[in-house]
């Protein structure tokens, strides 16, 4: 198990670690927890069906306090006592990534459940908590109820097959009245009266309907936001098309102006050449005139 922990620590591709029912000891579990302390790739860890002890859970407490990648942790059927669950609860208080915690079929009693409820006061990341097949009674329900009244993240709480009485049911009901986030609260296979169960079901249905409304509102808002983006893109497209049309117009004007300029340059060159020829002709005639004048002067001198 220690070798596997080292392998997982070096391997950067492992995302799911499934070691359920592998006769892992508390020593091996502690090695695994230490290997995952600073890991961000492993998102799911299953150690269910292994006989763990509270000694290994102290490492799990530190793991929950430091790890930023784990999303699901299954410790069902691990014979965990209350002290181990209390350590887990303390770790949850500082955890901001774990979504699902499964603790079914352990030895969770009132103290452990109460501390988990205290953890829910500050932890709003956890969405699923499975405490089925344990031995939770009134005091544990009181702690869970206190946490649920303030918690804004938990959606599913499984308390099937515990020792919940009507008193427990009423405590949970009081938290449901204030908490509109929970959509599944499983309490069957407990000695809770039908009347209390019906009230719990009523508020669960209320929460589910509220969740649908919120979802529809969210979809509507997202749709409106998308429509605004589409309109903005269409306006941008129209502006781009106008710019392109103007560019084409400017290109045509530039080409037309270029032709006119070229023609003007040609005409100017022709005029310049003509003037040069005329100037050369004048200079030639001037030389001829100078020669004639000189000839006349010579004749006058002879006479």
């Amino acid at each position: 198990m220690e070798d596997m922990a080292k392998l997982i620590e070096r391997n950067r591709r492992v995302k799911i670690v499934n070691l359920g029912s592998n006769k892992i000891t508390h020593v091996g579990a502690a090695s695994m927890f230490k290997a995952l302390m600073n890991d961000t790739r492993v998102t799911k860890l299953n150690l269910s069906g292994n006989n763990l002890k509270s000694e290994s859970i102290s490492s799990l407490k530190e793991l929950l306090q430091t790890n930023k990648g784990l999303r699901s942790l299954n410790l069902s059927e691990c014979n965990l006592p209350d002290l181990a669950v209390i350590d887990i609860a303390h770790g949850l208080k500082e955890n901001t990534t774990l979504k699902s915690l499964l603790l079914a079929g352990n030895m969770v009693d009132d103290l452990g459940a109460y501390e988990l409820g205290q953890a829910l006061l500050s932890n709003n990341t956890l969405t699923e908590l499975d405490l089925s097949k344990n031995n939770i009674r009134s005091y544990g329900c009181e702690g869970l109820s206190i946490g649920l009244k303030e918690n804004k993240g938990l959606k599913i709480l499984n308390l099937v097959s515990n020792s919940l009485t009507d008193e427990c049911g009423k405590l949970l009901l009081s938290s449901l009245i204030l908490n509109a986030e929970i959509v599944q609260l499983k309490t069957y296979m407990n000695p809770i009266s039908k009347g209390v169960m019906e009230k719990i079901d009523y508020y669960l249905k209320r929460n589910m309907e509220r969740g649908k409304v919120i979802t529809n509102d969210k979809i509507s808002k997202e749709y409106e936001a998308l429509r605004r983006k589409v309109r903005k893109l269409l306006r941008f497209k129209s502006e781009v098309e106008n710019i392109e049309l103007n560019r084409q117009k400017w290109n045509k004007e530039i080409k037309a102006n270029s032709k006119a300029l070229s023609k003007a340059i040609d005409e100017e060159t022709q005029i310049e050449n003509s003037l040069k020829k005329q100037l050369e002709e004048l200079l030639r005639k001037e030389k001829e005139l100078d020669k004639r004048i000189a000839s006349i002067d010579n004749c006058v001198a002879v006479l």
Side-chain angles (χ1 to χ4, degrees):
M1 182 62 187
E2 291 181 3
D3 292 337
M4 183 176 293
K6 291 179 181 179
L7 180 63
I8 290 174
E9 189 174 11
R10 290 193 299 268
N11 192 325
R12 297 307 178 188
R13 295 184 178 180
V14 175
K15 292 185 178 181
I16 298 175
V17 178
N18 188 353
L19 297 171
S21 302
N22 268 281
K23 298 181 180 180
I24 296 171
T25 65
H26 66 282
V27 176
S31 299
M32 176 62 66
F33 296 150
K34 289 178 181 178
L36 294 173
M37 288 290 182
N38 298 312
D39 183 88
T40 57
R41 295 185 181 273
V42 175
T43 59
K44 187 174 182 179
L45 177 60
N46 179 13
L47 292 175
S48 62
N50 292 292
N51 190 18
L52 307 182
K53 295 182 180 179
S54 58
E55 290 88 341
S56 63
I57 303 303
S58 60
S59 299
L60 176 58
K61 173 187 173 181
E62 188 177 353
L63 170 66
L64 291 174
Q65 290 172 334
T66 58
N67 181 274
K68 301 299 180 184
L70 203 61
R71 299 291 185 271
S72 174
L73 177 61
N74 189 347
L75 295 173
S76 301
E77 308 290 344
C78 286
N79 293 322
L80 296 178
D82 249 2
L83 290 176
V85 177
I86 290 171
D87 274 344
I88 292 173
H90 290 167
L92 277 178
K93 290 180 180 180
E94 299 181 35
N95 185 276
T96 58
T97 55
L98 193 68
K99 297 288 187 181
S100 174
L101 176 60
L102 308 183
L103 295 171
N106 284 290
M107 294 181 285
V108 183
D109 213 319
D110 279 342
L111 289 176
Y114 192 93
E115 287 301 319
L116 286 171
Q118 293 299 301
L120 291 176
L121 287 171
S122 56
N123 185 310
N124 289 297
T125 307
L126 196 69
T127 59
E128 179 183 10
L129 177 60
D130 187 354
L131 294 171
S132 61
K133 300 179 183 179
N134 283 289
N135 191 32
I136 300 170
R137 297 181 297 278
S138 297
Y139 184 68
C141 280
E142 182 181 349
L144 290 171
S145 176
I146 292 171
L148 291 175
K149 287 176 181 177
E150 300 294 331
N151 185 272
K152 303 299 180 184
L154 198 67
K155 304 294 183 185
I156 302 172
L157 176 59
N158 190 343
L159 294 171
V160 171
S161 189
N162 275 274
S163 300
L164 309 184
T165 61
D166 267 5
E167 182 182 358
C168 298
K170 290 175 182 178
L171 286 168
L172 295 171
L173 180 60
S174 68
S175 63
L176 268 182
I177 293 173
L178 298 176
N179 187 321
E181 302 300 324
I182 294 182
V183 293
Q184 290 187 38
L185 176 56
K186 301 175 182 179
T187 55
Y188 51 89
M189 295 183 70
N190 285 289
I192 299 177
S193 66
K194 182 179 179 181
V196 175
M197 290 287 285
E198 286 177 349
K199 290 180 180 179
I200 290 175
D201 288 340
Y202 170 80
Y203 283 101
L204 287 174
K205 289 178 181 178
R206 178 204 67 178
N207 290 355
M208 291 179 69
E209 290 300 322
R210 179 179 178 275
K212 290 178 182 179
V213 171
I214 291 174
T215 301
N216 290 335
D217 288 344
K218 184 178 179 182
I219 292 173
S220 297
K221 289 178 181 178
E222 290 177 351
Y223 176 70
E224 287 300 323
L226 183 60
R227 286 187 62 186
R228 287 194 295 271
K229 288 181 179 179
V230 169
R231 287 196 293 268
K232 186 175 180 180
L233 287 172
L234 289 174
R235 286 196 299 269
F236 179 73
K237 180 184 177 183
S238 177
E239 291 174 0
V240 171
E241 289 175 347
N242 288 333
I243 291 172
E244 179 62 21
L245 289 173
N246 289 331
R247 187 185 67 81
Q248 293 176 2
K249 181 180 177 182
W250 295 335
N251 285 339
K252 289 179 180 179
E253 290 178 355
I254 290 171
K255 288 179 180 179
N257 292 333
S258 296
K259 289 180 179 179
L261 180 60
S262 178
K263 184 179 179 180
I265 291 173
D266 290 341
E267 290 176 352
E268 185 179 353
T269 302
Q270 291 176 2
I271 293 170
E272 184 179 357
N273 292 333
S274 176
L275 290 173
K276 284 181 179 180
K277 290 180 179 180
Q278 291 176 17
L279 180 60
E280 289 174 355
E281 182 66 20
L282 288 173
L283 291 173
R284 187 183 64 79
K285 288 181 179 180
E286 184 181 5
K287 287 180 180 180
E288 289 181 355
L289 183 59
D290 287 341
K291 287 179 181 180
R292 288 179 182 181
I293 291 172
S295 177
I296 292 170
D297 288 343
N298 289 333
C299 288
V300 172
V302 171
L303 292 175

